[in-house]
PDB file of all heavy atoms in Angstrom:
ATOM      1  N   VAL A 462      22.978  28.091 -36.378  1.00 96.00           N
ATOM      2  CA  VAL A 462      22.697  29.345 -37.088  1.00 96.00           C
ATOM      3  C   VAL A 462      23.989  30.123 -37.317  1.00 96.00           C
ATOM      4  O   VAL A 462      24.204  30.705 -38.393  1.00 96.00           O
ATOM      5  CB  VAL A 462      21.678  30.186 -36.299  1.00 96.00           C
ATOM      6  CG1 VAL A 462      21.543  31.577 -36.909  1.00 96.00           C
ATOM      7  CG2 VAL A 462      20.317  29.495 -36.283  1.00 96.00           C
ATOM      8  N   LEU A 463      24.885  30.124 -36.321  1.00 95.00           N
ATOM      9  CA  LEU A 463      26.153  30.832 -36.479  1.00 95.00           C
ATOM     10  C   LEU A 463      27.020  30.202 -37.566  1.00 95.00           C
ATOM     11  O   LEU A 463      27.689  30.913 -38.331  1.00 95.00           O
ATOM     12  CB  LEU A 463      26.907  30.854 -35.147  1.00 95.00           C
ATOM     13  CG  LEU A 463      26.280  31.706 -34.036  1.00 95.00           C
ATOM     14  CD1 LEU A 463      27.087  31.564 -32.740  1.00 95.00           C
ATOM     15  CD2 LEU A 463      26.195  33.166 -34.450  1.00 95.00           C
ATOM     16  N   VAL A 464      27.027  28.871 -37.650  1.00 94.00           N
ATOM     17  CA  VAL A 464      27.766  28.195 -38.723  1.00 94.00           C
ATOM     18  C   VAL A 464      27.220  28.610 -40.085  1.00 94.00           C
ATOM     19  O   VAL A 464      27.968  28.927 -41.016  1.00 94.00           O
ATOM     20  CB  VAL A 464      27.700  26.664 -38.551  1.00 94.00           C
ATOM     21  CG1 VAL A 464      28.207  25.953 -39.801  1.00 94.00           C
ATOM     22  CG2 VAL A 464      28.505  26.227 -37.333  1.00 94.00           C
ATOM     23  N   TRP A 465      25.889  28.590 -40.207  1.00 95.00           N
ATOM     24  CA  TRP A 465      25.264  28.992 -41.471  1.00 95.00           C
ATOM     25  C   TRP A 465      25.593  30.444 -41.811  1.00 95.00           C
ATOM     26  O   TRP A 465      25.928  30.761 -42.959  1.00 95.00           O
ATOM     27  CB  TRP A 465      23.751  28.814 -41.374  1.00 95.00           C
ATOM     28  CG  TRP A 465      23.005  29.517 -42.469  1.00 95.00           C
ATOM     29  CD1 TRP A 465      22.846  29.104 -43.758  1.00 95.00           C
ATOM     30  CD2 TRP A 465      22.320  30.779 -42.363  1.00 95.00           C
ATOM     31  NE1 TRP A 465      22.108  30.011 -44.470  1.00 95.00           N
ATOM     32  CE2 TRP A 465      21.778  31.062 -43.636  1.00 95.00           C
ATOM     33  CE3 TRP A 465      22.128  31.694 -41.324  1.00 95.00           C
ATOM     34  CZ2 TRP A 465      21.049  32.222 -43.884  1.00 95.00           C
ATOM     35  CZ3 TRP A 465      21.409  32.840 -41.570  1.00 95.00           C
ATOM     36  CH2 TRP A 465      20.882  33.100 -42.838  1.00 95.00           C
ATOM     37  N   TRP A 466      25.520  31.335 -40.843  1.00 94.00           N
ATOM     38  CA  TRP A 466      25.778  32.755 -41.090  1.00 94.00           C
ATOM     39  C   TRP A 466      27.222  32.992 -41.505  1.00 94.00           C
ATOM     40  O   TRP A 466      27.502  33.776 -42.412  1.00 94.00           O
ATOM     41  CB  TRP A 466      25.439  33.558 -39.848  1.00 94.00           C
ATOM     42  CG  TRP A 466      25.628  35.040 -40.027  1.00 94.00           C
ATOM     43  CD1 TRP A 466      26.589  35.825 -39.453  1.00 94.00           C
ATOM     44  CD2 TRP A 466      24.839  35.908 -40.840  1.00 94.00           C
ATOM     45  NE1 TRP A 466      26.457  37.127 -39.849  1.00 94.00           N
ATOM     46  CE2 TRP A 466      25.375  37.207 -40.714  1.00 94.00           C
ATOM     47  CE3 TRP A 466      23.737  35.714 -41.653  1.00 94.00           C
ATOM     48  CZ2 TRP A 466      24.861  38.308 -41.375  1.00 94.00           C
ATOM     49  CZ3 TRP A 466      23.203  36.813 -42.323  1.00 94.00           C
ATOM     50  CH2 TRP A 466      23.755  38.082 -42.182  1.00 94.00           C
ATOM     51  N   LYS A 467      28.154  32.279 -40.861  1.00 92.00           N
ATOM     52  CA  LYS A 467      29.568  32.432 -41.216  1.00 92.00           C
ATOM     53  C   LYS A 467      29.807  31.971 -42.643  1.00 92.00           C
ATOM     54  O   LYS A 467      30.522  32.641 -43.417  1.00 92.00           O
ATOM     55  CB  LYS A 467      30.414  31.623 -40.231  1.00 92.00           C
ATOM     56  CG  LYS A 467      31.913  31.869 -40.364  1.00 92.00           C
ATOM     57  CD  LYS A 467      32.298  33.215 -39.827  1.00 92.00           C
ATOM     58  CE  LYS A 467      33.816  33.393 -39.811  1.00 92.00           C
ATOM     59  NZ  LYS A 467      34.218  34.722 -39.306  1.00 92.00           N
ATOM     60  N   LYS A 468      29.231  30.844 -43.017  1.00 90.00           N
ATOM     61  CA  LYS A 468      29.410  30.345 -44.380  1.00 90.00           C
ATOM     62  C   LYS A 468      28.735  31.268 -45.388  1.00 90.00           C
ATOM     63  O   LYS A 468      29.223  31.449 -46.513  1.00 90.00           O
ATOM     64  CB  LYS A 468      28.859  28.930 -44.492  1.00 90.00           C
ATOM     65  CG  LYS A 468      29.696  27.892 -43.751  1.00 90.00           C
ATOM     66  CD  LYS A 468      29.161  26.490 -43.964  1.00 90.00           C
ATOM     67  CE  LYS A 468      30.057  25.459 -43.281  1.00 90.00           C
ATOM     68  NZ  LYS A 468      29.561  24.081 -43.486  1.00 90.00           N
ATOM     69  N   ARG A 469      27.618  31.833 -45.032  1.00 91.00           N
ATOM     70  CA  ARG A 469      26.920  32.755 -45.926  1.00 91.00           C
ATOM     71  C   ARG A 469      27.774  33.998 -46.166  1.00 91.00           C
ATOM     72  O   ARG A 469      27.858  34.495 -47.300  1.00 91.00           O
ATOM     73  CB  ARG A 469      25.577  33.133 -45.310  1.00 91.00           C
ATOM     74  CG  ARG A 469      24.669  33.942 -46.228  1.00 91.00           C
ATOM     75  CD  ARG A 469      23.309  34.120 -45.557  1.00 91.00           C
ATOM     76  NE  ARG A 469      22.377  34.795 -46.449  1.00 91.00           N
ATOM     77  CZ  ARG A 469      22.222  36.108 -46.513  1.00 91.00           C
ATOM     78  NH1 ARG A 469      22.966  36.895 -45.736  1.00 91.00           N
ATOM     79  NH2 ARG A 469      21.352  36.654 -47.342  1.00 91.00           N
ATOM     80  N   GLN A 470      28.402  34.512 -45.103  1.00 90.00           N
ATOM     81  CA  GLN A 470      29.270  35.676 -45.262  1.00 90.00           C
ATOM     82  C   GLN A 470      30.478  35.352 -46.132  1.00 90.00           C
ATOM     83  O   GLN A 470      30.884  36.157 -46.985  1.00 90.00           O
ATOM     84  CB  GLN A 470      29.738  36.166 -43.888  1.00 90.00           C
ATOM     85  CG  GLN A 470      28.666  36.878 -43.075  1.00 90.00           C
ATOM     86  CD  GLN A 470      29.201  37.384 -41.763  1.00 90.00           C
ATOM     87  OE1 GLN A 470      29.962  36.695 -41.070  1.00 90.00           O
ATOM     88  NE2 GLN A 470      28.821  38.598 -41.394  1.00 90.00           N
ATOM     89  N   ALA A 471      31.034  34.142 -45.926  1.00 86.00           N
ATOM     90  CA  ALA A 471      32.192  33.748 -46.729  1.00 86.00           C
ATOM     91  C   ALA A 471      31.813  33.618 -48.199  1.00 86.00           C
ATOM     92  O   ALA A 471      32.565  34.033 -49.091  1.00 86.00           O
ATOM     93  CB  ALA A 471      32.759  32.432 -46.208  1.00 86.00           C
ATOM     94  N   ALA A 472      30.638  33.040 -48.455  1.00 85.00           N
ATOM     95  CA  ALA A 472      30.185  32.905 -49.835  1.00 85.00           C
ATOM     96  C   ALA A 472      29.949  34.270 -50.469  1.00 85.00           C
ATOM     97  O   ALA A 472      30.271  34.487 -51.654  1.00 85.00           O
ATOM     98  CB  ALA A 472      28.918  32.065 -49.880  1.00 85.00           C
ATOM     99  N   ALA A 473      29.426  35.216 -49.707  1.00 86.00           N
ATOM    100  CA  ALA A 473      29.194  36.564 -50.236  1.00 86.00           C
ATOM    101  C   ALA A 473      30.521  37.245 -50.568  1.00 86.00           C
ATOM    102  O   ALA A 473      30.634  37.946 -51.583  1.00 86.00           O
ATOM    103  CB  ALA A 473      28.413  37.379 -49.215  1.00 86.00           C
ATOM    104  N   ARG A 474      31.538  37.036 -49.702  1.00 85.00           N
ATOM    105  CA  ARG A 474      32.843  37.627 -49.996  1.00 85.00           C
ATOM    106  C   ARG A 474      33.460  37.023 -51.254  1.00 85.00           C
ATOM    107  O   ARG A 474      34.073  37.739 -52.050  1.00 85.00           O
ATOM    108  CB  ARG A 474      33.782  37.437 -48.795  1.00 85.00           C
ATOM    109  CG  ARG A 474      33.467  38.338 -47.613  1.00 85.00           C
ATOM    110  CD  ARG A 474      34.609  38.346 -46.620  1.00 85.00           C
ATOM    111  NE  ARG A 474      34.856  37.015 -46.064  1.00 85.00           N
ATOM    112  CZ  ARG A 474      34.293  36.577 -44.940  1.00 85.00           C
ATOM    113  NH1 ARG A 474      33.423  37.350 -44.292  1.00 85.00           N
ATOM    114  NH2 ARG A 474      34.563  35.378 -44.493  1.00 85.00           N
TER     115      ARG A 474
END
Side-chain angles (χ1 to χ4, degrees):
V462 171
L463 292 176
V464 168
W465 165 78
W466 182 250
K467 189 73 173 179
K468 290 184 177 181
R469 188 174 185 270
Q470 287 182 318
R474 286 194 298 268

